[in-house]
Amino acid sequence: MSSVSGREEIDAWIRKFPAGTQKLLNQIRTTVTRAVPQAEEVIRYGIPTLRLKQNLLHYAAFDNHIGIYPTPSAMQHFADQLKGYEQGKGSVQLPLDQPLPLKLIEEIAKFRAAEVAAAGAKGAKGEPRPAAKKAAKRAVKAASKKVAKKGTGK
């Protein structure tokens, strides 16, 4: 369900890279769009993004690796399969000189689509997702503690 402008933007973005890197980026792109055909391709944060009501995952190329950004929940879910790759809280680095784990990337994209669908089914339209509610409650609680400490002079 990629929009024409989204596809064209991503085509142009990929063309900026050397041929070998373009090939890898196109492999990832094909993998994720086949895994979640109803998702939209867009550029977000200056990089290709797969969206289905919200961002499913992002990917980008660097000098020595391709970065995949599937969210911390997906990183946690696939922790065992991602061992051996350099990782951040919600990112994984795939070295340019190694074969891409396309089956894993496909599974991550499907997992994120299912996660988004499940979150959408839990609340009424316009209601924050459960994770957002928890984060908001934590922020309010932390702010309340700061205000209480200030008020007591501690």
Side-chain angles (χ1 to χ4, degrees), residues 129-151:
R129 293 182 315 277
K133 282 183 179 179
K134 287 179 185 176
K137 284 181 183 179
R138 283 192 305 269
V140 168
K141 191 174 183 178
S144 297
K145 284 181 181 178
K146 283 183 182 179
V147 170
K149 281 184 180 180
K150 237 182 189 177

Side-chain angles (χ1 to χ4, degrees), residues 4-36:
V4 172
S5 62
R7 282 195 312 262
E8 291 170 353
E9 282 182 310
I10 293 172
D11 287 342
W13 186 89
I14 289 174
R15 281 194 299 270
K16 296 177 188 177
F17 294 93
T21 304
Q22 287 182 37
K23 180 180 176 185
L24 297 173
L25 290 167
N26 279 315
Q27 288 175 345
I28 291 170
R29 183 182 189 187
T30 299
T31 298
V32 299
T33 55
R34 283 185 180 161
V36 189

Side-chain angles (χ1 to χ4, degrees), residues 6 34-35 45 59-61 66 76 81 115 119 123-124 130 147:
R34 283 185 180 161
Y45 308 106
Y59 56 96
I66 302 260
Q76 184 178 4
Q81 295 95 315
E115 192 173 47
V147 170

